[in-house]
Amino acid sequence: MSLNLIPQAGGTGRRSKQFISLFYPSTFHISHRCFNAFLNTSDSSINEAIQFCSSLIGKYRDTKFLRGIRGVQAHIIKSGVSCLSLGNKLIDGYIKCNGLAEARRLFDELPNRHVVIWNLIISSHVSRGRSKEALNLFVRMLVDGVLPDEFTFSNIFKVFPELGLLREGQRAHGLSVVLGFEIFNGFVASALVDMYAKFDEMRDAHLVFDRVLEKDVVLFTALIVGFVQHGHHRGALEAFEDMVNMGIKANEYTLASILISCGSLGSLVKGKLIHSLAIKSGLDFAVASLTSLLTMYSRCNMVDDAMKVFNQVANANQVTWTSLVVGLVQNGREEVALLIFREMIRCSINPNSFTLSGVLQACSNLAMLEIGKQIHALTMKKGFYDDKYAGTALIKMYGKCGSTDMARSVFDVLTDIDVVSINSMIYACAQNGFGREALELYERMKYFELEPNDVTLLSILLACNNAGLVEEGCQIFASIKENHKIELTRDHYAVMIDLLGRCRRFEEAAMLIEEVRNPDVVLWRTLLSACRNHGEVEIAERVTRKLLELAPGDEGTHILLSNLYASAGKWNQVIQMKSTIRDLKVKKNPAMSWVDVDREVHTFMAGDLSHPRAHEICETLLEVTEKVKTLGYNPDTKFVLQDIEEEKKITSLYYHSEKLAIAFTLWKTNSSTRSIRIFKNLRVCGDCHNWIKFVSLLTGREIIARDAKRFHHFKGGICSCGDYW
C-alpha cells in the first residue's frame, strides 16, 4: 500500500467552509465525496488542505479518538497524492491514541524517514516495554544511514538493561562518544548513568558522570538512584552532598531517593536535615518525598513521626499505605499495622504483594492464625496466589502458627521457587520438629538448581536439632566446614553446640566452642543451658567460670545456674545465687501462656487465679489431672525450683500457666474436637510437656504449643519432638 495523501487543490471560500463543517458532526463521520470535491476545487490550495488535515489529526489525537485518525488516513489515501509531513502527523496521532500497530505499518511504508520519526517510533516501543522491537528499530535506523541524536540515545539506553545486554549497551555508548553526545549532553549522560546503574556497574556510571562538564539535577538524581537501588547508601549521600555544594537544587525524586539511604543507614540526623531541605524547597507535600520520609522515620524507629508524615498525605497511594504498614511491623507495632491495613481496604486502596507480606508478618509475630487465614483468602482474591513474596510470607505465617500442612500447600503452588521461599519452608519444618521433611526439602534444592546459603544451612541444622537427628546434623555441619564457599557464623556454631549438648556430648560441644575465634557469651550459655537440662552440675560450674570471665554481670548465667542448683536440690547454692541475682537487680520474666478462643485472647500466669472464670478453670484442671493420672501421668516435682514440701510442690505444678490455658480452653470448648493452640513466652517445662501428652490422649484433641524455642504438636499421647526438646 503506497502512501497517497493529498491531491492538488487550491483556494478558500464557501466550499471550504462547507467541507470543514463535514469534519465536525457529533458522529465524527467524514464524507469521502465531499472530501474529494474540496481537494479538486480550483479555488482550494494544497497548503491549506495540508494545514487543515494536520489540524484535524491534532484534534483527534488530543481527544484520543483513534477511529477518527483512521478515517482521515482512509480519505487521504483515496485522494491519490502523497505528503510526508502528514505521514509523520498520522504516526504521532496513532501512537498518542494507543494505535501502535497502525503507526508501525505506516512507518514501514514512509520513504526517507527523518530522525524525528525514528525517535518517535522507537520511544513508543520503549515506553510500552517492547524493548526487543525498539532495539531492532535502532539497528535498522543505523543500517538506513540515519544518525541517531540525543533523543535516540536517551531512549535506546533504556532497553539494554531490560534485555540484559551490557556489551551491546557499551557499544551504543561508544557510538554516542564518537558522535560527541556523552560529554556535552547531560540528557544522554543521565540515560547512560541510569543504564550502567541498572547493570550495577556503578564504577562505569560514575566515570560517565565525572566526564560531563555541566551537571544538572537529572544527572545527579540518576547517579543517586543507582547507588540507592544497589544498597550503596554512603555513595548516594556523598553524591547528594556534592550536588548541594554545587548549588544544584534537588527535585522530589532526588529527595525521595536520598531519604531511603538515610533510613537504611539509620542516619536520623541527616534524614531530618533533608526533611528541612524539602520544606524549604516546597517539596514536603510531594507524594514521593512524603513516602520516602515516612520510610526513613520508620527505619530510624521513629514510628510516631512516621505516622505524622502519613497524616500529611492528602491522597495516600498504594505505596504510601504499604510503607506505613511495613514500617509499623518492623517496629513491633503489629496491632496498629493490622488496623491501618483494615483502613486501607476500607479506602478502596488495593494492596500489593509487599503490603500483604507486611500484614502477614504481623500475623506471624502475633501468632494470629485466623486473621492470617483471612489475609490468605484476600491474597487469593487479588491474584497473588503464586506470587513469591506473598507466598513466602504465607509460608512463614503458617509455620509460626504451627500449621505446617498449610505452609506446605502454599509452597507447592508457587511457580517461581527461589532460595528465600524454600528457606522459609525448611524453617517452618524445623520450628515444628519435622526434621525428615526439612532434610527432604534440602535435598530437593539440587532439583531446583538452587545453591544453599547461610540461612538454608542454619535452618537445616535447626531442623536436625529440634528433631534429634544428631548424626545428620553432624554430617551437614562437617560438609559446611569443608565447603569454603560459605563461612560458618556464630549462629551455626550455637545450633551445633545445642544439638551436641542435648545428647550429652558436652566435651565435643566445648571443643566446638574453642574452634570459634573469640567465643561470645551466647555460645557458652548455650552449653550451660544443656547442662541445666541434664542436671550436669560439675560441667555447668566449669562453663559458668568461663562465662563470668567474659561477662561478670551476665543475668542469664546466674539464673541458669540457680535453676540448675534448684533442680539438683542444692538449696544452699540456690540461696547464694539468688543473693547475687538480687544484687545485680535482675528481673526474671514471669512464665506466661495465652490462648485465642472465639477471637479473644486469654492470658495466664503461673499460680495466677485472677481470671473471671478461675473457678471453672480449677474444676476442669483438677478433673482432667485426676483422669490423666489413671493413664500413667505422675507429677515430676524436680521441675519445682523452690525448697518446699513435696505436697506443695505437686500443687504448684498444677497451676503452671500452660496447664491453666489448656484447662480454660477445654472448659470453653468442651464439645469441640478442633485443635487447641497455646503460646508460651518461656520453654515448656518437662512436667507440663508430659501432662499435655496425656491430655491429648485423654481428649482425642491435637494440642499445638509454641514456646520460646519451637512448636510441640501433641496428638494421641505423642509429641512431634519425640521428647527431644
Side-chain angles (χ1 to χ4, degrees):
M1 179 176 68
S2 61
L3 184 66
N4 298 315
L5 297 175
I6 301 294
Q8 293 290 332
T12 59
R14 186 172 57 83
R15 286 178 180 267
S16 174
K17 292 176 183 176
Q18 289 174 348
F19 174 71
I20 290 170
S21 69
L22 292 171
F23 280 82
Y24 293 95
S26 59
T27 60
F28 286 91
H29 176 68
I30 303 173
S31 167
H32 177 62
R33 183 175 59 81
C34 292
F35 185 86
N36 280 338
F38 171 71
L39 293 174
N40 290 309
T41 304
S42 59
D43 55 356
S44 297
S45 73
I46 189 167
N47 288 334
E48 186 178 280
I50 291 170
Q51 272 185 349
F52 173 72
C53 289
S54 178
S55 172
L56 189 61
I57 293 167
K59 179 179 178 64
Y60 289 148
R61 179 197 64 202
D62 295 341
T63 56
K64 308 295 183 192
F65 188 57
L66 179 62
R67 191 159 56 90
I69 292 178
R70 286 172 180 160
V72 173
Q73 185 190 358
H75 286 297
I76 290 174
I77 289 170
K78 290 176 184 177
S79 337
V81 175
S82 64
C83 177
L84 183 61
S85 64
L86 282 179
N88 294 345
K89 283 278 185 182
L90 280 168
I91 290 171
D92 181 51
Y94 276 129
I95 289 170
K96 297 290 171 49
C97 294
N98 205 27
L100 185 58
E102 289 98 331
R104 180 62 186 272
R105 282 196 296 270
L106 192 53
F107 171 83
D108 288 339
E109 293 170 7
L110 274 179
N112 304 319
R113 291 176 286 257
H114 191 269
V115 67
V116 173
I117 203 67
W118 277 104
N119 288 343
L120 187 63
I121 200 73
I122 288 171
S123 66
S124 66
H125 281 79
V126 172
S127 63
R128 288 164 176 77
R130 299 169 74 165
S131 300
K132 192 172 183 180
E133 293 173 63
L135 184 57
N136 289 335
L137 283 164
F138 177 68
V139 173
R140 270 184 60 191
M141 177 184 179
L142 298 178
V143 170
D144 285 0
V146 180
L147 288 178
D149 61 12
E150 63 266 32
F151 300 104
T152 322
F153 283 119
S154 66
N155 277 294
I156 206 63
F157 285 140
K158 296 174 184 176
V159 309
F160 297 111
E162 294 291 327
L163 300 172
L165 301 173
L166 175 59
R167 190 176 296 276
E168 287 75 4
Q170 289 170 331
R171 288 173 183 160
H173 177 191
L175 180 60
S176 73
V177 172
V178 170
L179 296 176
F181 289 116
E182 183 213 80
I183 298 175
F184 300 103
N185 194 296
F187 199 47
V188 173
S190 299
L192 263 172
V193 169
D194 180 65
M195 179 190 79
Y196 282 122
K198 285 177 178 173
F199 280 115
D200 197 15
E201 297 287 342
M202 292 309 300
R203 181 177 172 276
D204 289 337
H206 215 296
L207 286 172
V208 173
F209 174 86
D210 288 339
R211 284 165 59 86
V212 179
L213 301 178
E214 295 185 10
K215 298 176 174 63
D216 60 9
V217 65
V218 178
L219 182 64
F220 266 105
T221 301
L223 183 66
I224 289 168
V225 168
F227 278 129
V228 172
Q229 286 176 338
H230 296 287
H232 308 306
H233 299 294
R234 297 197 184 280
L237 282 170
E238 288 172 7
F240 182 75
E241 288 172 7
D242 290 342
M243 184 179 115
V244 173
N245 292 335
M246 290 175 66
I248 298 172
K249 189 177 179 180
N251 61 27
E252 70 169 290
Y253 303 105
T254 325
L255 294 173
S257 297
I258 204 64
L259 283 166
I260 292 171
S261 289
C262 292
S264 298
L265 294 171
S267 181
L268 181 62
V269 174
K270 288 185 179 179
K272 285 186 173 181
L273 287 172
I274 294 167
H275 187 181
S276 301
L277 180 62
I279 294 171
K280 288 178 182 177
S281 305
L283 297 171
D284 51 318
F285 287 105
V287 174
S289 299
L290 284 172
T291 302
S292 293
L293 192 60
L294 185 158
T295 304
M296 184 274 293
Y297 280 124
S298 295
R299 289 181 178 176
C300 292
N301 304 318
M302 304 293 287
V303 184
D304 293 334
D305 288 328
M307 291 287 286
K308 287 177 185 176
V309 172
F310 178 79
N311 291 331
Q312 291 177 16
V313 183
N315 296 299
N317 59 21
Q318 182 191 71
V319 177
T320 310
W321 282 96
T322 300
S323 298
L324 181 61
V325 169
V326 172
L328 288 165
V329 175
Q330 289 171 342
N331 284 277
R333 304 277 283 272
E334 292 90 354
E335 296 92 340
V336 182
L338 289 170
L339 291 173
I340 293 292
F341 177 71
R342 186 182 300 170
E343 188 63 27
M344 177 183 176
I345 300 299
R346 285 177 180 169
C347 292
S348 301
I349 305 294
N350 278 324
N352 59 23
S353 59
F354 299 106
T355 327
L356 295 167
S357 298
V359 290
L360 285 167
Q361 180 64 45
C363 294
S364 297
N365 296 347
L366 298 172
M368 289 185 166
L369 179 62
E370 293 306 315
I371 295 177
K373 285 180 177 178
Q374 292 174 23
I375 295 170
H376 186 181
L378 182 63
T379 302
M380 301 285 285
K381 183 179 177 181
K382 297 296 182 183
F384 295 110
Y385 59 92
D386 62 347
D387 179 87
K388 66 179 179 181
Y389 298 107
T392 300
L394 278 167
I395 292 166
K396 289 180 180 177
M397 185 275 294
Y398 280 122
K400 287 191 175 182
C401 291
S403 293
T404 317
D405 290 343
M406 285 298 296
R408 187 58 187 261
S409 68
V410 173
F411 176 79
D412 287 341
V413 299
L414 290 179
T415 53
D416 185 15
I417 293 174
D418 60 5
V419 174
V420 178
S421 56
I422 202 164
N423 282 353
S424 299
M425 192 64 235
I426 290 172
Y427 185 71
C429 291
Q431 267 193 313
N432 288 273
F434 301 115
R436 295 292 176 191
E437 291 82 349
L439 286 170
E440 179 212 338
L441 286 164
Y442 180 62
E443 291 299 320
R444 280 187 66 189
M445 290 187 78
K446 296 174 185 175
Y447 170 78
F448 292 119
E449 297 182 350
L450 297 172
E451 193 72 28
N453 57 20
D454 56 339
V455 177
T456 319
L457 298 168
L458 183 62
S459 298
I460 198 65
L461 286 174
L462 184 65
C464 294
N465 187 20
N466 287 345
L469 303 174
V470 180
E471 295 308 318
E472 290 85 346
C474 289
Q475 288 172 12
I476 291 169
F477 188 77
S479 68
I480 301 170
K481 290 174 75 174
E482 291 170 5
N483 182 0
H484 299 293
K485 291 181 181 178
I486 296 177
E487 186 177 349
L488 284 167
T489 66
R490 293 178 190 273
D491 290 333
H492 293 105
Y493 276 98
V495 175
M496 261 321 282
I497 291 161
D498 193 33
L499 176 64
L500 293 170
R502 288 190 192 199
C503 61
R504 294 178 175 269
R505 291 161 67 168
F506 301 113
E507 295 303 329
E508 288 179 62
M511 288 171 62
L512 211 54
I513 296 174
E514 298 293 348
E515 287 183 14
V516 181
R517 183 181 298 175
N518 301 320
D520 59 8
V521 171
V522 174
L523 296 179
W524 286 110
R525 195 192 293 156
T526 302
L527 182 55
L528 179 60
S529 180
C531 294
R532 180 252 183 276
N533 291 336
H534 291 292
E536 290 288 343
V537 177
E538 185 180 341
I539 299 174
E541 288 176 337
R542 281 177 14 218
V543 172
T544 301
R545 285 194 289 272
K546 288 274 191 182
L547 269 165
L548 295 179
E549 285 175 12
L550 290 170
D554 183 60
E555 302 171 359
T557 302
H558 292 90
I559 291 170
L560 277 171
L561 194 58
S562 174
N563 291 344
L564 174 58
Y565 285 141
S567 62
K570 297 191 173 188
W571 300 111
N572 290 332
Q573 287 90 332
V574 171
I575 293 168
Q576 291 175 9
M577 291 305 303
K578 286 191 173 180
S579 175
T580 305
I581 290 169
R582 278 195 298 270
D583 292 341
L584 292 171
K585 296 181 180 179
V586 176
K587 289 185 178 180
K588 289 178 64 177
N589 291 325
M592 188 182 299
S593 298
W594 61 97
V595 63
D596 186 347
V597 178
D598 298 332
R599 297 187 180 182
E600 186 177 355
V601 177
H602 298 262
T603 304
F604 302 88
M605 295 175 66
D608 181 14
L609 300 178
S610 60
H611 192 279
R613 294 294 183 178
H615 178 70
E616 290 87 345
I617 292 169
C618 289
E619 280 190 344
T620 305
L621 181 58
L622 292 172
E623 180 184 344
V624 168
T625 301
E626 289 304 314
K627 287 181 179 178
V628 295
K629 280 181 178 179
T630 63
L631 296 176
Y633 166 69
N634 188 34
D636 192 345
T637 56
K638 76 177 181 183
F639 292 100
V640 178
L641 305 178
Q642 294 173 296
D643 187 15
I644 55 178
E645 296 175 5
E646 190 69 14
E647 190 175 332
K648 288 183 179 180
K649 285 184 179 181
I650 293 172
T651 304
S652 70
L653 282 174
Y654 286 176
Y655 298 105
H656 278 195
S657 63
E658 50 266 63
K659 289 190 176 94
L660 292 171
I662 291 171
F664 169 75
T665 311
L666 289 171
W667 168 77
K668 188 74 174 177
T669 60
N670 187 37
S671 59
S672 176
T673 57
R674 65 184 178 182
S675 301
I676 297 172
R677 295 174 183 273
I678 68 163
F679 305 90
K680 185 175 170 65
N681 64 330
L682 303 177
R683 294 178 89 167
V684 176
C685 87
D687 178 73
C688 288
H689 188 271
N690 197 33
W691 181 84
I692 298 170
K693 284 199 301 182
F694 282 105
V695 172
S696 71
L697 179 62
L698 174 71
T699 61
R701 296 173 69 172
E702 183 181 14
I703 302 173
I704 302 168
R706 188 179 91 172
D707 66 11
K709 294 290 183 180
R710 55 167 300 167
F711 275 93
H712 298 267
H713 295 253
F714 300 91
K715 193 171 185 180
I718 299 171
C719 180
S720 60
C721 73
D723 296 336
Y724 188 85
W725 57 280

